[in-house]
Amino acid sequence: MTTAVAVDSRTSLLALRAAVRAVRQNPEPSTLGALHLAVQALPTESFHWNLEDGHQRVLKSVEFAEESHLFPRIGHMNDAVTDLTRTLPSWTPAYATVAMADVLRLLAVCHDHRADMEDHPLDPWSRAAEAGARLVAIMLRRTDARPADALMVRTAGEFAALMRTAVAANAVLGASNLAKEAARVYGLFPMGPRMPFENGGTAGWTRRLGGTTYRFELLGVGWHQPEYPHGRVEVRIPGSYEVVRSFTLTARTRRKVIDRFVSSL
């Protein structure tokens, strides 16, 4: 591999990783379009036939997500919920509103994609459905005395964000795996995607960095440890009891860190 080709490969790989991060932070058609361009720009001359096929599959997956009809439906739901705050709950039964119809249709989409949610609580569609169910409960409990407008709008925003994440999830996973395998071919540092898991009171992800797989665990959620009253994040190598790194959570940071941790799965 010549110096010019090596530099081009590294630049294209870094651009692909940046595009993946952009979609993870803001999953929408514009960032997915940029991801599609980054995948297209990846040099494939040194790819073996299996990786070439994977490259084409990722292109199709990203294009499918970019053109998803769900993005405008998600935006319409969010707007419809916001419109509810301009009326009193007693004016129209919650079950008869446009907003409720939009929410229920999107919840049905979640269940179509992941019917066995109880067995896969960290799946993007499961997490979106959980937020949607909370939104339905809030909308049904609203009264003129307690309209819960701010809570309803905030929960609708969470539902919308998780729905967009679910729509883009396959594209992000495919592009992340492609970047990892391309890095190996180019002779660069491979970084695999995050693979979520949940086991009893433990949730987290595994991720391959270089030649080592690391296990990131969020501990102390739902059970008590005197020395870590607000929980902690531990980093281990699977199969080993040794803790490589440990991050203790505090009363001030616990909710923020946990939300950020789980949202990045």
Side-chain angles (χ1 to χ4, degrees), residues 22-175:
V23 175
R24 289 176 65 91
Q25 294 168 3
N26 187 24
E28 61 179 26
S30 62
T31 54
L32 284 163
L35 177 59
H36 190 269
L37 292 175
V39 173
Q40 277 185 321
L42 208 60
T44 60
E45 293 82 2
S46 56
F47 285 7
H48 50 78
W49 68 268
N50 197 31
L51 190 53
E52 286 182 353
D53 287 348
H55 181 255
Q56 293 302 312
R57 288 194 297 271
V58 171
L59 279 172
K60 293 178 181 178
S61 177
V62 175
E63 183 177 7
F64 181 78
E66 180 186 359
E67 297 177 354
S68 174
H69 66 283
L70 289 174
F71 283 116
R73 291 174 58 184
I74 294 167
H76 187 274
M77 178 277 298
N78 217 3
D79 293 341
V81 171
T82 301
D83 289 343
L84 273 186
T85 63
R86 303 185 178 97
T87 64
L88 291 175
S90 61
W91 291 3
T92 306
Y95 58 82
T97 62
V98 172
M100 180 64 81
D102 283 353
V103 172
L104 293 179
R105 290 190 189 102
L106 290 177
L107 273 173
V109 171
C110 294
H111 285 274
D112 285 343
H113 281 85
R114 176 55 76 183
D116 52 347
M117 292 183 180
E118 295 81 4
D119 298 327
H120 299 87
L122 296 180
D123 182 88
W125 295 105
S126 300
R127 296 186 59 231
E130 190 275 332
R134 281 192 287 114
L135 178 57
V136 169
I138 292 168
M139 294 169 71
L140 290 174
R141 290 199 303 264
R142 295 176 72 227
T143 65
D144 289 356
R146 295 186 176 181
D149 289 342
L151 177 61
M152 181 176 65
V153 170
R154 183 170 66 251
T155 306
E158 294 172 1
F159 181 36
L162 289 169
M163 281 293 301
R164 294 187 182 102
T165 296
V167 172
N170 283 340
V172 169
L173 180 60

Side-chain angles (χ1 to χ4, degrees), residues 9-29:
S9 299
R10 182 176 184 276
T11 301
S12 298
L13 181 62
L14 291 176
L16 175 56
R17 288 174 175 171
V20 169
R21 288 194 299 272
V23 175
R24 289 176 65 91
Q25 294 168 3
N26 187 24
E28 61 179 26

Side-chain angles (χ1 to χ4, degrees), residues 197 201-205 215-236 241-251 253-255 257-258 261-262:
F197 68 83
T202 303
W205 71 66
R215 180 182 175 98
F216 298 79
E217 299 179 2
L218 176 62
L219 303 177
V221 180
W223 54 286
H224 181 67
Q225 283 186 310
E227 65 273 34
Y228 301 106
H230 304 291
R232 70 188 189 280
V233 176
E234 289 187 347
V235 185
R236 288 188 173 90
Y241 291 103
E242 180 183 358
V243 177
V244 180
R245 293 288 301 274
S246 180
F247 307 90
T248 301
L249 304 181
T250 67
T253 62
R254 180 177 184 272
R255 176 58 187 270
V257 171
I258 290 175
F261 186 86
V262 175

